[in-house]
Amino acid sequence: MKLWIKYLIGIALGLLAAAIIPMESRLVSDGLNFLAEFAIRFGRYTLLPTLFFGAAISVFKLRTGNKIWSVALWLLVVLVATAVTLTLVGLLSILIVRLPRIPIPTGKVTEIASINLRDLVMSLLPFSSFQSLLDGVYLLPAFVLAGLAGAGCAVDTADSKATVSLFDSLARVSYSVMSFFVDMLAVGMIAISCYWMVDALAVFKAGMYFPLITMLLVLFILIVCVLYPVALRFFCQGTRSVRVLYASISPILVAFFSGDANLTLPVAMRHGSESLGIKRRVNAVSYPLFSIFARSGSALVISICFVVILRSYSSLSISFSDIIWIGTTSLGLSFLLGGLPVGGTFMALTIMCTMYGRGFEAGYLLLKPAAGIIGAFAAAIDAATAMFGSYFVAFKTKTIEHYDMKHFI
């Protein structure tokens, strides 16, 4: 059975359970929270060793094969291009379509949210390099250490032969173990989707967020089913975009219902390797970097939501300078969410309200009840960006071996 069908069955069972099980009971609610968190921890369990050993071998092979700079350049181009494009799409959409105002809440700001850039930078160079392997949330320090290890092995291939052999063996074993956890995550999707649906039902009943959710849904469909496939066919002549779209089903499902970039990463890596045929030397590098930096979906959602907040508080038109500020700030914050695999979109929105000031510091409270659904759309678009972007990089660097769609996992 295809992996996406397993996930879809698990999700359907979870949604059905949310409609049947009496969530008013504190015991049932606590039990569901426990199962959902356990499922997410289960899905992330093997991510760090797979990322570390896989990235180390990938950097080694890319450097010895003289492809590291071409891969790095294409990755940079895609990361920036997708973020800028989707930020513009979000701004143009919300400026053209004027959504109804959302009633202003009476809550007050309890604490000022922030992303500590200094801590993010310093975490890349902890006092001991082994500390990089202890954080299962912010993956960049482990990736940097893996890249340094791989590059170091490439300096003298004769002396590092034993190390490379060990790392290669550990990378393959870690990937095999990760594959088992990715398969079994289908069971965990029951609890994850049930937990998501319980929160979503409260938002749907409120009704006030329906226009915003509809806009995000329409944009998600246009981006994933139209914009990305058309761009791929234009820039990668001869390729079939439907292959990438089909391989993206499982990562998008996991991302949407979990809102977790780190949980989605193992699923995306498996489909990149076993469905799209992206070679390991690119697969183990591109997907982690897209997971950490390619938050173009978050940039789109942040820009839309911030304009909704401004229009809900004031009937005045938004000035051109404010539009530029919203676009550049949304874009900049999207590259700083690597340490927030869950909830990063709403956190960035909170920071934007604080930065903007002018009485809008508590504006994020307007959308707080719908934070889960807002984050779901952002995560789903981010997952699609990683799938299409990694395929694009592999195609341009000729590190791909196409499989027939009937052999996709």
Side-chain angles (χ1 to χ4, degrees):
M1 185 182 293
K2 300 294 185 183
L3 191 59
W4 69 270
I5 298 177
K6 296 179 184 178
Y7 284 172
L8 206 56
I9 292 173
I11 291 168
L13 292 174
L15 299 181
L16 181 62
I20 296 175
I21 299 175
M23 295 299 171
E24 296 80 8
S25 169
R26 180 64 180 272
L27 182 63
V28 173
S29 178
D30 290 344
L32 178 59
N33 291 346
F34 169 79
L35 291 175
E37 183 177 352
F38 182 85
I40 291 175
R41 287 171 179 258
F42 179 90
R44 285 182 174 189
Y45 188 66
T46 58
L47 175 58
L48 209 55
T50 305
L51 181 147
F52 176 76
F53 294 115
I57 289 297
S58 295
V59 171
F60 170 78
K61 290 187 175 181
L62 288 173
R63 187 168 180 187
T64 54
N66 294 321
K67 279 186 174 291
I68 192 166
W69 292 113
S70 62
V71 170
L73 178 61
W74 282 117
L75 279 170
L76 180 62
V77 168
V78 177
L79 287 171
V80 175
T82 53
V84 171
T85 300
L86 293 199
T87 301
L88 292 175
V89 169
L91 279 174
L92 289 174
S93 300
I94 193 60
L95 291 174
I96 294 172
V97 180
R98 193 177 185 92
L99 297 181
R101 289 187 181 184
I102 298 174
I104 298 174
T106 56
K108 296 182 179 180
V109 178
T110 55
E111 58 181 294
I112 299 176
S114 64
I115 295 178
N116 195 319
L117 184 59
R118 179 184 181 278
D119 288 348
L120 289 177
V121 174
M122 295 301 290
S123 66
L124 299 180
L125 292 172
F127 289 106
S128 171
S129 58
F130 289 106
Q131 291 181 13
S132 303
L133 306 177
L134 301 179
D135 188 357
V137 177
Y138 189 34
L139 302 177
L140 187 57
F143 184 87
V144 170
L145 179 60
L148 292 173
C153 289
V155 172
D156 192 330
T157 56
D159 287 344
S160 63
K161 188 174 181 180
T163 303
V164 171
S165 179
L166 175 62
F167 273 37
D168 185 52
S169 178
L170 289 171
R172 294 180 186 276
V173 171
S174 298
Y175 183 88
S176 298
V177 177
M178 182 197 75
S179 298
F180 168 77
F181 278 79
V182 169
D183 282 332
M184 296 305 297
L185 182 61
V187 179
M189 289 305 298
I190 299 175
I192 292 172
S193 59
C194 183
Y195 182 83
W196 180 91
M197 192 60 181
V198 170
D199 283 347
L201 284 174
V203 177
F204 295 151
K205 289 178 181 178
M208 67 184 75
Y209 301 105
F210 187 75
L212 174 60
I213 294 172
T214 302
M215 169 175 269
L216 294 178
L217 176 61
V218 171
L219 287 175
F220 166 75
I221 295 172
L222 290 176
I223 291 168
V224 176
C225 300
V226 179
L227 178 61
Y228 281 169
V230 170
L232 195 65
R233 287 185 64 86
F234 179 80
F235 291 108
C236 302
Q237 298 294 330
T239 190
R240 293 174 58 194
S241 301
V242 68
R243 296 166 50 85
V244 187
L245 191 59
Y246 183 52
S248 302
I249 295 176
S250 294
I252 288 174
L253 288 174
V254 174
F256 184 83
F257 286 99
S258 70
D260 193 324
N262 288 359
L263 182 65
T264 307
L265 180 54
V267 183
M269 291 176 69
R270 270 204 71 187
H271 274 284
S273 176
E274 300 176 41
S275 295
L276 298 179
I278 299 174
K279 293 184 179 180
R280 186 172 54 152
R281 67 192 63 181
V282 170
N283 189 77
V285 169
S286 64
Y287 282 105
L289 287 178
F290 273 107
S291 179
I292 296 168
F293 293 113
R295 302 293 183 87
S296 53
S298 298
L300 176 141
V301 172
I302 293 166
S303 59
I304 290 175
C305 289
F306 191 78
V307 173
V308 169
I309 291 173
L310 291 184
R311 285 177 171 172
S312 296
Y313 273 86
S314 173
S315 58
L316 298 176
S317 60
I318 302 174
S319 65
F320 181 73
S321 60
D322 280 344
I323 294 173
I324 298 297
W325 184 87
I326 294 169
T328 53
T329 306
S330 301
L331 180 65
L333 287 174
S334 70
F335 287 104
L336 301 177
L337 300 180
L340 296 167
V342 183
T345 302
F346 189 73
M347 173 64 80
L349 186 62
T350 304
I351 293 170
M352 278 191 68
C353 290
T354 304
M355 293 173 62
Y356 189 75
R358 309 179 200 178
F360 289 92
E361 290 85 354
Y364 67 91
L365 295 174
L366 205 70
L367 300 177
K368 189 174 182 180
I373 297 181
I374 291 171
F377 282 105
I381 297 174
D382 291 342
T385 302
M387 295 301 296
F388 278 90
S390 294
Y391 181 90
F392 175 85
V393 172
F395 185 90
K396 289 298 183 180
T397 55
K398 296 180 174 61
T399 53
I400 193 168
E401 181 181 350
H402 291 108
Y403 301 143
D404 195 286
M405 286 179 62
K406 66 181 180 181
H407 298 306
F408 282 20
I409 60 173

